[in-house]
DNA sequence: CTGTTAGCGCTTTCAT
DNA sequence: ATGAAAGCGCTAACAG
């Protein structure tokens, strides 16, 4: 069987308490002693049993990461970055993939991470008051990525400003009739992005002296097909828009497809701009608003770790800047369509 | 503080051993007693400390999943599926994201999952003999997804056959000059897909009485840009191919871009087929060979769990079928280009 | 069917 | 600077 702390103690000729201290780099260990212990541990190929350590210390050295999906760009990117940050700090990442609504209910019902994580990171989930309450009751630091709530650590982008950037770009190109493909803002369990991005769209129009026209705002449900259908609706308007802002790249992909199938040219007939800048955007030559995903992930992981280790960290919200990325779907010069 | 097993035992008026049995659904507990225990546990909002249970039982109830990246289609898809399967069986998923070469070395050097998982699942990593050796030394079941090795459980597709399907499709359409965009087959740390898919390509040509022409096989390095460059090279050939088989969808995307930029039409001037059928393939109307990712993930998780629970499971390899998916990049009828 | 008891392998006072 | 000893909260014989 694998070596235990006693084996190391025996070989090094010290007590198990000293082995524990030496191997964890605690102070008050003579360096000669430490060397001896480290050598013994190496010889026996010893590593501490995490479960015994966790039981004895009360620390889980684990962060629970809760996501609605993992097989989508944003979430995969976040998990990737967070895992690396945690591992570097000696923490494990325990993944909770909610999946469907049933999975979500089961999760908040059972709270399976109870007693097994030091902190929780919730990624882009819209939570009810009860669900926030349940998280707070865990008694561990809770971090939010892509959303905000008073009393919780969080990291996000400014969706209003990002949408403004997109629409201001279209305005600067001379467009006056600009359509919006958005998400549902009436769903009580809604994502916040649809709401904020629509506000940014309207703000930008008003700032340019244009009155937002409700008829030019259609639902795309944040899917490719939804974006395609929405675009068809926009094109059938009596006075169709010359440019479209889609609240997500995915919806913009659908828009591109619909326009291509209608034998119209992008951007000459209709200009398209998305939001997110996922990797497909470059492939499809889509202008969009870049959001710094890895940066948000690193920021929230870092502060969450500090909250675990140093204890008291104030539950601030960090807002990271978005950036306009101009490609061929809005500027003909470099278009490949 | 949170309730312990003793609190429950006291409230239910039984011993802690009975609580343990009742809550874990073990036999030999009177149903009246069990009800009382369950009620007491519910009242105290009790859940067992996983660390104490793991320390005492020696079971980690955790599977370590080792991936080279998580932010790529195939891996995200696998993690998603495996997490769900494990969670359903009461197991945690501990993620190990190797990232770069340094991360990989650190991983196999330290073997950080030692003493903390009951099994390991390695996803599409090409391992050295030493690395396989290190895994075997863990003494736990090891599952492989996307690769195969005698003595290990594994689940994969038949890359040779899949490539044949792609090329046979092109041949059936009348193409005789078919180019190949592949991966490096000389790298000692190579993926196996490049090798197998190239073999399938050559087999299909030979079966049609065509001698594979080395000049028509170019390297695309499994990236979009690589696929684009490779395509340019193929188009500059004295006798350029009328169809191209890319060993991955990503390289096919690059091919589409290059062809579009060269003002050639797909599929009229050049037909393109990829391999994998990731979601972008449909978006880009790319013909490809579908590989069942979720099915592979479920198969290997299931067998790995059985190996953990029932102990002895023979280390078989399951090979799942691929399927040709015809879209607009090979058949003009439904093309949108 | 239920209770008693001895660990599981560490961490952490408290002495010295 | 080091050691002794008391847990951490559970599981698993074993006894009855």
């Amino acid at each position: 069987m694998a070596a235990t702390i006693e084996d190391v103690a025996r070989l090094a000729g010290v007590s198990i308490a000293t082995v524990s201290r030496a191997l964890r780099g605690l102070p008050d260990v003579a360096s000669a002693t430490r060397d001896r212990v480290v050598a013994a541990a190496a010889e026996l190929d010893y590593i501490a049993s995490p479960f015994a350590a966790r039981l004895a210390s009360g620390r889980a050295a684990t962060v629970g990461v809760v996501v609605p999906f993992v097989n989508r760009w944003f979430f995969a990117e976040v998990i990737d970055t967070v895992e690396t940050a945690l591992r570097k700090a000696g923490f494990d990442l325990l993944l909770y993939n909610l999946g469907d609504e049933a999975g979500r209910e089961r999760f908040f019902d059972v709270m399976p991470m109870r007693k097994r994580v030091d902190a929780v990171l919730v990624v882009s989930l819209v939570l009810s008051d009860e669900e926030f309450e349940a998280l707070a009751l865990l008694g561990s630091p809770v971090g939010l990525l892509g959303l905000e709530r008073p009393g919780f650590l969080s990291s996000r982008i400014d969706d209003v400003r990002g949408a403004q950037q997109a629409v201001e770009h279209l305005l600067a190109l001379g467009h006056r009739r600009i359509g919006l493909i958005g998400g549902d803002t009436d769903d009580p369990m809604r994502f916040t992005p649809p709401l904020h991005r629509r506000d940014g769209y309207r703000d930008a129009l008003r700032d340019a002296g244009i009155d937002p026209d409700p008829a030019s705002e259609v639902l795309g449900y944040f899917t490719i097909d939804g974006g395609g259908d929405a675009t068809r609706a926009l094109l059938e308007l009596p006075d169709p828009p010359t440019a479209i802002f889609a609240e997500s790249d995915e919806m913009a992909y659908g828009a591109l497809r619909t326009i291509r199938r209608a034998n119209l040219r992008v951007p000459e007939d209709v200009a398209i701009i998305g939001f997110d800048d996922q990797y497909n955007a470059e492939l499809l030559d889509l202008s969009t608003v870049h959001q710094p995903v890895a940066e948000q992930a690193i920021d929230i992981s870092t502060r969450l770790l500090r909250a675990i280790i140093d204890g008291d960290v104030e539950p601030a919200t960090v807002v990271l800047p978005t950036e306009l990325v101009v490609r061929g779907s809005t500027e003909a010069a470099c278009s490949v369509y």
Side-chain angles (χ1 to χ4, degrees), chain A residues 184-260:
Chain A
D184 195 349
T185 55
D186 285 334
D187 182 350
M189 290 289 282
R190 67 180 170 255
F191 267 114
T192 46
L195 199 62
H196 297 324
R197 294 179 188 180
R198 189 196 57 191
D199 287 347
Y201 160 83
R202 291 180 179 172
D203 289 352
L205 288 183
R206 287 202 196 89
D207 288 350
I210 299 173
D211 224 30
D213 172 17
S216 300
E217 299 179 3
V218 292
L219 288 180
Y221 303 101
F222 275 66
T223 65
I224 293 176
D225 289 339
D229 296 344
T231 302
R232 199 164 307 117
L234 285 173
L235 294 180
E236 284 167 357
L237 247 32
D239 195 13
T242 62
I244 296 175
F245 165 50
E247 287 175 6
S248 75
D249 284 350
E250 297 231 284
M251 294 192 289
Y253 302 152
L256 291 176
R257 193 172 56 188
T258 292
I259 292 171
R260 208 166 49 185

Side-chain angles (χ1 to χ4, degrees), chain A residues 39-71:
Chain A
E43 175 159 349
L44 296 174
D45 200 25
Y46 167 82
I47 67 162
S49 155
F51 304 135
R54 288 161 189 195
L55 178 58
S57 70
R59 293 175 234 107
T62 303
V63 172
V65 176
V66 190
V67 296
F69 329 91
V70 354
N71 60 355

Side-chain angles (χ1 to χ4, degrees), chain A residues 268-315:
Chain A
E268 292 82 355
D269 299 316
V270 190
I272 304 284
I273 187 164
F275 198 122
D276 283 341
D277 196 25
Q278 40 183 99
Y279 38 59
N280 299 336
E282 185 180 2
L283 180 63
L284 293 166
D285 209 18
L286 175 72
S287 294
T288 189
V289 176
H290 175 83
Q291 72 157 308
V293 183
E295 287 83 345
Q296 293 175 79
I298 287 177
D299 168 69
I300 195 69
S301 319
T302 308
R303 289 190 290 135
L304 216 40
L305 286 171
R306 199 154 49 214
I308 296 170
I309 297 164
D310 298 356
D312 199 53
V313 164
E314 63 180 300

